[in-house]
Amino acid sequence: VEGRLREITRAGAVVDPPGVVRIEAEDETVVSRHGEWRLLNIFPRSVDAEVLRTGEPDARLTFTFSGRSLALVLPGTWQIPGPKYSGLRTGGLEIRVGDRPPTIVDLATAPQNVVIATDLPAGEHDVSVAPSQLKGRGWGSVAIDGFKVGAFPFSTLSFLVVGEESA
């Protein structure tokens, strides 16, 4: 596992805590794109993020990793700076890890980090990520910031805080 994590890191991924590697979705040395994906720069510049965005049903991302866990990293969402960011997370994603049943993620209600698979057997795992039609909402638009790969099982505890700013 450690050798593969070092290999992915050399390929351009950002290392998070020990045993966790972040893979940027736009890193074509690790992630293969199929169909139409657009690179979108997130502003304000202090965020300094690039994400991949698509609204095409036939678009797909694929990659292989060696590890025990996989998480999806979504772009942050803001009410401000405005409408340009409102459409980043209106669709759904279908994520397949090897032969496991797919995980469907509704981006409108998902937290920024979504655990997809944990406690996988040691070894390499093929991942496929594609837009998914959501019941009653159609295809929508999807944006992906990246993925986190862990050499150990991730915790699956997550929550979403929703509120309004008061003056």
Side-chain angles (χ1 to χ4, degrees):
V1 170
E2 286 182 28
R4 178 69 176 146
L5 293 180
R6 280 194 295 275
E7 180 182 323
I8 291 173
T9 301
R10 281 195 304 271
V14 177
V15 176
D16 275 16
V20 176
V21 172
R22 182 175 165 125
I23 300 171
E24 301 297 335
E26 69 273 8
D27 184 353
E28 293 180 284
T29 64
V30 179
V31 180
S32 297
R33 299 179 201 173
H34 310 273
E36 184 178 337
W37 289 89
R38 294 187 186 130
L39 189 61
L40 177 67
N41 291 307
I42 300 289
F43 292 97
R45 292 196 187 280
S46 60
V47 174
D48 191 30
E50 292 181 322
V51 300
L52 286 181
R53 180 181 187 177
T54 190
E56 302 298 321
D58 62 344
R60 191 168 41 97
L61 299 176
T62 59
F63 65 96
T64 299
F65 76 94
S66 181
R68 304 276 318 274
S69 296
L70 173 69
L72 170 69
V73 180
L74 299 171
T77 57
W78 305 273
Q79 291 180 336
I80 302 171
K84 179 178 179 182
Y85 298 97
S86 64
L88 291 179
R89 293 173 52 169
T90 61
L93 286 173
E94 177 181 285
I95 303 170
R96 293 182 180 269
V97 179
D99 294 334
R100 296 174 138 223
T103 298
I104 305 297
V105 179
D106 182 346
L107 302 186
T109 58
Q112 191 169 3
N113 291 280
V114 181
V115 175
I116 301 300
T118 189
D119 205 19
L120 293 167
E124 290 198 343
H125 305 281
D126 295 323
V127 179
S128 175
V129 180
S132 176
Q133 190 171 15
L134 296 173
K135 191 174 186 176
R137 292 207 330 248
W139 290 97
S141 179
V142 298
I144 301 172
D145 193 4
F147 305 91
K148 289 185 181 181
V149 174
F152 52 86
F154 288 158
S155 167
T156 56
L157 175 64
S158 64
F159 56 92
L160 178 65
V161 177
V162 178
E164 293 184 22
E165 184 178 334
S166 58

